[in-house]
């Protein structure tokens, strides 16, 4: 449930209320907005709620007590009406600027990673992406360079100043990946790996949670709630397409999830048109659509030689095409009151 405080509530009223709730064993999340202060209460059982609501309503500085009926609470808009801005290495995700994360699908070697990193930075990207632990449908395809790949990403960060985002697939690797990465990525295949979600929830690094390829928006937000419940509120959601009967595209990019998530949750949302379409020619138009729909960022795969890429060459942009996309995105962002 959430407690909406009266405009007259003072700091000491808020302290008193928070202590009162903590003494009863509840988790408390305080959201101090410009207009309203909202106190979120976590852990109250359904049978305790009516009595608790009645008791709290008797306080003069409480305006209203509202139950949250959704299956996710901490990540919901009711719980925190203001948008969350995830701050990483001087980059704000969720603010006015549309953040572009770009880089190769997989870190293949140091030379190509440094080459792509320099090119995407020059074109205006803010964050470098690259997979070191690769989830592969086929056990025979490239599985990533592992820790060596993380080291190469760290070198590219040093060379360009860009924060790095990379996927962690296994609970046993969380500590290792968190040592190198600025943002931990949870891939589509792991969105319902609840042990992994809990593990990254305990890390003090932002997490980007990709939508499960067969997951509803509600299931996706519940997965985010697993992370938030462990105390990590720095969560970025990423729409990357879902499975439908369509086979021409790799996935069906769900552009409608972007405004839906922005309404349901305070978390920032990024779009991945590369995995969303699987076809490089479709990446720019879908990226533009995502920005027009309100996405806080875009994640795009870029490879200097897509024809030689170890993974996902068909959906990778050349640095030149990426540069053209950045110019297009600037125009779309301007049209919706943002910038790139
Ligand atoms: C990726 O971004 O490298 C990736 C594997 O994406 P997804 O989990 O969306 O398939
Ligand atoms: Mn890929």
């Amino acid at each position: 449930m959430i407690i909406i405080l009266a405009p007259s509530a003072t700091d000491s009223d808020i302290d008193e209320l928070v202590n009162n709730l903590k003494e009863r064993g509840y988790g408390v999340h305080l959201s101090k907005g410009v207009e309203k202060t909202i106190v979120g209460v976590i852990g109250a059982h359904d049978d305790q709620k009516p009595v608790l609501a009645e008791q709290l309503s008797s306080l003069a500085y409480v305006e209203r007590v509202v139950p949250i009926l959704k299956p996710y609470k901490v990540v919901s808009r009711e719980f925190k009406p203001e948008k969350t801005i995830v701050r990483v290495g001087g980059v704000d995700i969720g603010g006015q600027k549309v953040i572009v994360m770009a880089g190769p699908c997989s870190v293949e070697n140091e030379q190509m990673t440094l080459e792509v990193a320099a090119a995407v930075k020059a074109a205006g990207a803010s964050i470098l992406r690259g997979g070191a632990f690769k989830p592969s449908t086929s056990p025979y395809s490239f599985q990533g360079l592992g820790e060596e790949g993380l080291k190469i990403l760290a070198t590219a960060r040093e060379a360009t100043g860009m924060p790095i985002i990379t996927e962690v697939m296994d609970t046993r690797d969380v500590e290792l990946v968190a040592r190198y990465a600025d943002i931990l990525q949870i891939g589509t295949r792991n969105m319902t790996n609840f042990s992994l979600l809990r593990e990254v929830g305990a890390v003090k690094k932002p997490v980007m949670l990709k939508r499960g390829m067969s997951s509803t928006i509600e299931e996706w937000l519940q997965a985010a709630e697993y992370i938030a419940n462990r105390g990590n509120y720095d969560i970025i959601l990423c729409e990357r397409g879902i499975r439908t009967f369509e086979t021409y595209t790799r996935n069906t990019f769900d552009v409608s999830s972007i405004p839906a998530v922005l309404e349901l949750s305070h978390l920032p949302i990024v779009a991945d048109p590369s995995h969303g379409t699987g076809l490089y020619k479709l990446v720019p138009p879908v990226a533009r659509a995502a920005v027009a729909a309100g996405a806080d960022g875009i994640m795009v795969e870029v490879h200097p030689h897509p024809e030689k890429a170890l993974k996902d060459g068909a959906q990778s942009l050349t640095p030149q095409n990426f540069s053209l996309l950045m110019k297009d995105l600037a125009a779309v962002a301007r049209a919706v009151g943002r910038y790139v």
Side-chain angles (χ1 to χ4, degrees), residues 105 129 134 275 301 312 315:
C105 176
R129 68 145 284 145
K134 290 306 302 177
H275 294 90
E301 288 185 343
D312 291 354
Q315 68 192 36

Side-chain angles (χ1 to χ4, degrees), residues 104-106 129-131 134-135 167 185-190 208 210-211 213 238 240 250-251 272 275 299 301 312:
C105 176
S106 315
R129 68 145 284 145
K134 290 306 302 177
E167 178 164 354
Q185 178 172 322
I186 301 294
T188 190
R189 293 161 188 81
N190 271 317
M208 188 174 87
K210 287 193 146 191
R211 179 177 182 181
M213 61 181 89
C238 177
R240 50 79 67 204
R250 181 175 177 177
N251 289 286
D272 173 354
H275 294 90
M299 173 178 259
E301 288 185 343
D312 291 354

Side-chain angles (χ1 to χ4, degrees), residues 248-293:
Y248 179 70
T249 46
R250 181 175 177 177
N251 289 286
T252 297
F253 183 82
D254 181 8
V255 75
S256 66
S257 81
I258 297 165
V261 159
L262 289 169
E263 191 176 304
L264 296 170
S265 174
H266 52 83
L267 297 176
I269 177 161
V270 162
D272 173 354
S274 304
H275 294 90
T277 64
L279 300 166
Y280 82 93
K281 281 190 183 166
L282 300 189
V283 169
V286 173
R288 294 195 299 263
V291 172

Side-chain angles (χ1 to χ4, degrees), residues 94-320:
Q96 282 300 103
K97 183 174 161 80
V98 175
I99 298 304
V100 177
M101 308 176 177
C105 176
S106 315
V107 175
E108 296 175 1
N109 57 59
E110 184 169 301
Q111 195 219 324
M112 68 80 76
T113 307
L114 291 177
E115 189 183 335
V116 182
V120 299
K121 168 145 193 188
S126 303
I127 295 173
L128 177 66
R129 68 145 284 145
F133 291 93
K134 290 306 302 177
S136 286
T137 304
S138 165
Y140 303 114
S141 64
F142 184 54
Q143 306 284 312
L145 296 179
E147 186 170 4
E148 192 196 332
L150 298 175
K151 286 185 176 153
I152 293 172
L153 284 170
T155 306
R157 169 177 49 209
E158 239 167 73
T160 60
M162 280 189 292
I164 54 181
I165 176 167
T166 196
E167 178 164 354
V168 58
M169 297 200 302
D170 194 308
T171 50
R172 291 166 296 189
D173 296 327
V174 169
E175 195 265 329
L176 172 74
V177 177
R179 228 184 296 143
Y180 292 93
D182 298 294
I183 305 174
L184 300 170
Q185 178 172 322
I186 301 294
T188 190
R189 293 161 188 81
N190 271 317
M191 192 209 84
T192 49
N193 181 341
F194 303 115
S195 325
L196 185 60
L197 299 178
R198 281 196 206 95
E199 208 63 29
V200 297
V203 167
K204 300 227 165 337
K205 288 269 167 95
V207 175
M208 188 174 87
L209 177 66
K210 287 193 146 191
R211 179 177 182 181
M213 61 181 89
S214 304
S215 299
T216 64
I217 293 170
E218 191 169 271
E219 288 162 347
W220 185 18
L221 292 171
Q222 288 179 87
E225 186 88 1
Y226 265 93
I227 301 170
N229 266 341
R230 290 297 297 273
N232 191 348
Y233 300 126
D234 282 335
I235 306 165
I236 304 148
L237 298 164
C238 177
E239 167 61 51
R240 50 79 67 204
I242 49 176
R243 278 270 166 98
T244 66
F245 53 79
E246 182 55 66
T247 54
Y248 179 70
T249 46
R250 181 175 177 177
N251 289 286
T252 297
F253 183 82
D254 181 8
V255 75
S256 66
S257 81
I258 297 165
V261 159
L262 289 169
E263 191 176 304
L264 296 170
S265 174
H266 52 83
L267 297 176
I269 177 161
V270 162
D272 173 354
S274 304
H275 294 90
T277 64
L279 300 166
Y280 82 93
K281 281 190 183 166
L282 300 189
V283 169
V286 173
R288 294 195 299 263
V291 172
D296 295 301
I298 298 289
M299 173 178 259
V300 193
E301 288 185 343
V302 180
H303 196 289
H305 304 286
E307 75 284 3
K308 293 187 200 158
L310 295 182
K311 248 180 162 354
D312 291 354
Q315 68 192 36
S316 296
L317 297 184
T318 58
Q320 194 186 1

